[in-house]
Amino acid sequence: IHHKVFRLSELKNLVEKLKELPCDNGKVEDSYSYRERDKFVVSDISIQERDRIIEELSIEIDEIQDELDQWNQVTDLVD
């Protein structure tokens, strides 16, 4: 059961990181430059691809959570 708890935590963390991942393409304003310059960026992953991955991970998260809920429901901890 421990491996499922760890996997769940890893998946949730990965989803949060993916949600923060910028998927900008094209000309964007360089907000870190003291000069007003634009830069051209190409993301490694598209918004659609990122959202698809998040959806797949969310399904796995739900499945593991259901398994853990079931385990918690039927398991008694003994002192």
Side-chain angles (χ1 to χ4, degrees):
I1 195 76
H2 292 99
H3 68 281
K4 290 183 182 182
V5 173
F6 292 128
R7 177 72 177 155
L8 183 65
S9 176
E10 291 169 353
L11 290 172
K12 287 182 175 183
N13 185 44
L14 181 55
V15 166
E16 288 305 311
K17 297 296 182 192
L18 283 169
K19 287 180 178 179
E20 297 171 2
L21 184 69
C23 296
D24 299 328
N25 274 315
K27 190 171 148 181
V28 294
E29 184 178 317
D30 187 0
S31 59
Y32 294 106
S33 177
Y34 63 90
R35 296 184 227 168
E36 303 221 0
R37 298 186 336 189
D38 292 333
K39 62 182 179 178
F40 188 82
V41 296
V42 177
S43 69
D44 292 327
I45 187 171
S46 70
I47 293 171
Q48 293 83 8
E49 180 73 9
R50 179 194 64 190
D51 292 347
R52 184 189 60 76
I53 293 169
I54 289 172
E55 179 64 29
E56 290 174 1
L57 293 174
S58 296
I59 290 169
E60 187 175 351
I61 287 169
D62 290 341
E63 289 172 353
I64 294 172
Q65 187 64 59
D66 288 345
E67 291 174 25
L68 291 173
D69 290 344
Q70 177 68 23
W71 187 86
N72 286 331
Q73 190 175 33
V74 298
T75 305
D76 289 330
L77 298 178
V78 180
D79 290 328

